Amino acid sequence: MLLLSVTVQEAVSQGQGYRRKHLEFYDDKPIHYGILFAMPFTRYAIKHNEQFMTGDTAYSIKSPTKAAFRMGFTVNAFLNERFDLRTTPSVSLYEREVRYSYPSSPEKIDKRESTWIEVPLLVKYKSQRRVNNRMYMIAGITMAIETNVRRGRGGGVGTLDTKSTDFTLDYGVGFEQFFEFFKFAPELRFSHGLGNVFQPSQNSLGKGIGRLSTHTVTLYLNFE
């Protein structure tokens, strides 16, 4: 009886730290697919030109941060134990604003609601897997194309002219959690526009602006 009791106690103590490893052979497959939902927070980064605050131009030109929505799918290609090649083609619904303040006239608002198709090419660096979770970092570039636009304005005439293509530098961090039938990965990604999306024109709203570039922070929910 004493020997049986000792044996049972040893078995119990050995099993206390056991955790089942889900999707144990996940990394053996060369390609994985998934879907994503994301919430971007986006704005224009504005650089003024020499006309700013001269003549009839605004004394303040700002772009507030606006929430948006994105959905798409994921294609992840295994390279080696530490690196993957990844793309997340998606459709994003953006609303970006530029607000103009004048000394002696009402504020003007240029609003641009548009749909963008975005195709990134990313390199993913993975930490060592700890049972059912691991961290990762990601970086790359994204090509974006605007497919349709709805413009709105308040207190002004005309609309601000911007380009319908954009390239961004992307980087971020994420956390992978393995479940029995799928992998869930929340991710925080930062995107900085590389080009100038401002198109100079005779429109008065463009006076004082030398450069517009996009800046976006996005929370991703990835399911693979």
Side-chain angles (χ1 to χ4, degrees):
M1 290 293 294
L2 180 60
L3 180 60
L4 180 60
S5 176
V6 171
T7 303
V8 171
Q9 288 180 359
E10 288 181 353
V12 171
S13 63
Q14 290 176 359
Q16 285 179 348
Y18 174 76
R19 291 178 59 198
R20 180 181 176 186
K21 190 173 183 179
H22 299 305
L23 303 176
E24 186 172 358
F25 303 105
Y26 181 89
D27 288 329
D28 291 346
K29 295 181 64 175
I31 297 179
H32 290 95
Y33 302 94
I35 61 173
L36 66 88
F37 301 94
M39 179 174 288
F41 295 89
T42 185
R43 63 177 177 84
Y44 287 122
I46 301 174
K47 183 177 180 180
H48 304 109
N49 61 17
E50 62 278 1
Q51 292 181 312
F52 180 58
M53 295 186 68
T54 62
D56 59 348
T57 63
Y59 70 85
S60 174
I61 305 176
K62 298 180 180 179
S63 179
T65 300
K66 308 289 288 187
F69 176 74
R70 178 180 300 159
M71 65 181 299
F73 61 93
T74 301
V75 181
N76 194 95
F78 178 86
L79 295 180
N80 57 41
E81 189 180 63
R82 285 289 179 262
F83 290 95
D84 290 346
L85 190 63
R86 187 176 180 89
T87 184
T88 56
S90 57
V91 176
S92 300
L93 306 177
Y94 288 129
E95 178 186 304
R96 292 187 174 110
E97 284 185 5
V98 178
R99 294 175 176 264
Y100 304 80
S101 299
Y102 295 87
S104 58
S105 61
E107 181 182 63
K108 297 179 182 179
I109 302 174
D110 183 85
K111 182 184 297 185
R112 188 181 185 94
E113 298 177 357
S114 56
T115 303
W116 288 76
I117 296 176
E118 298 173 315
V119 183
L121 181 61
L122 306 162
V123 175
K124 175 182 172 184
Y125 174 77
K126 304 169 290 186
S127 69
Q128 182 178 350
R129 178 172 171 173
R130 303 293 183 182
V131 188
N132 288 317
N133 53 70
R134 67 184 172 199
M135 300 290 295
Y136 68 88
M137 296 185 293
I138 200 163
I141 59 173
T142 295
M143 179 184 70
I145 300 174
E146 191 176 44
T147 58
N148 60 53
V149 185
R150 186 175 73 177
R151 296 180 174 91
R153 58 186 182 274
V157 178
T159 57
L160 186 66
D161 293 320
T162 56
K163 297 177 182 178
S164 58
T165 58
D166 193 19
F167 288 89
T168 62
L169 174 66
D170 301 350
Y171 57 90
V173 295
F175 175 80
E176 296 181 330
Q177 179 69 48
F178 292 84
F179 294 95
E180 185 173 0
F181 299 111
F182 68 95
K183 182 185 72 176
F184 171 63
E187 177 187 322
L188 186 65
R189 193 185 303 177
F190 301 86
S191 301
H192 303 281
L194 297 175
N196 183 5
V197 298
F198 174 63
Q199 289 196 134
S201 68
Q202 298 302 315
N203 193 320
S204 61
L205 293 181
K207 292 182 179 179
I209 297 178
R211 177 185 173 88
L212 288 179
S213 55
T214 56
H215 177 74
T216 307
V217 180
T218 306
L219 175 63
Y220 282 86
L221 301 178
N222 299 291
F223 299 86
E224 297 180 37

